[in-house]
Amino acid sequence: MPEQLLERQDERPDGAGFRIAANPAPRSADEVAAVLGSPGFGEHFTDHMVLIDFGEPQGWHDPRVVPYGPLPLDPASAVLHYGQEIFEGLKVYRHRDGHLRLFRPEMNARRFAESAARLALPQLPAHLFVESIGQLARVDASWVAAEPGVSLYVRPFLIGTEAFLGVRAARRALFGVIASPAGPYFAAAGQGISIWLSRRYSRAGAGGTGAAKCGGNYAASLLAQSEAQAHGCAQVLFTDADTRTWVEEAGSMNLFFVLADGTLVTPPLDGTILAGVTRDSVIRLARERGHRVQERRFGIAEWQHGASTGELTEVFATGTAAVITPISRLVGEDVLIETPAGGHGSVTAALRDELTGIQNGTVADRRGWMFDLGGVC
Ligand SMILES: *Cc1c(COP(=O)(O)O)cnc(C)c1O
């Protein structure tokens, strides 16, 4: 077993208590450059991953960086039968000073803990969450491109691993972090995307898991997402489960409406939609730029009326993967709403430029949003 031997020789304890087992066969500089030249989204993975176990009585234990690869999983694991899983998504940016930085990772750490609580999974301390991402980013630093537009998307996740078929919360869990170089989420985002109004399926209802970032929400959305794609739309728009008239969110993005008087409207966080970090950041940036921002219900009827009278000028979606993406139209079985500004709204563009400027380090970070992972040369 020469590979195992190599792995053991390279293992060394680390200041933060992480064990590091270097990948004995990392991709060459040429192979990494080829991926960064055309990354796509979520198609290629770096050479390493982070794993941390949870179990009684030790609690969280054995934090480690290991070669990227398959997980050994008991076929009776809770995640495979009852879907006990949560995840997060954030990006590592390389700034011109050579430092790697994260955008507001403490918000992802807090949301991860809240999602864990809702899914009856153990809560990972915020410092371990952020440190895990730092460990992986430093080991796989060569996968973080220097050009803005390509970043390293990081995917933390947590699964119930106890092998037991009775229905109750698992007592053992596994936390992991993997990373994938990412280009634009939507290939044609510059022109604005079309979204599909699902009248048949709901994503979340009152008392459900809509506010948690969990795989189960996505499992419930995939059929509607296929329907959207079959109608030439990039994503699906979900409305409230009760009346199917109020806008909730698009598949993996929060939504904003720009009114002619400069007011921004976004649906409220009432338990059925996800509290996006990008959503929160856009609300803050917009208010500082002098916009009134309302967190209130916004109906399909108001959307249709506003677009036809010109009271509604722009629509955009927000999320870590998609950043700020213009919505050029809403398509449904009984509706077609064209956004007056199409994909070229000035409010959307100004907010996107400021947000991506802060993230990429070309606009001053006056709010202390960027988290420094240190210099890597
Ligand atoms: C992750 C996610 C978002 C966007 O959240 P960000 O923190 O901005 O990336 C929006 N809606 C859903 C359903 C999500 O899973």
Side-chain angles (χ1 to χ4, degrees), residues 111 203 213 218 249 251-254 274 276-278 318-320:
R111 187 169 69 190
R203 177 184 165 275
K213 205 168 177 76
Y218 279 81
E249 60 180 321
S252 56
M253 305 182 295
N254 296 114
L274 199 91
V277 176
T278 321
T318 65
T320 296

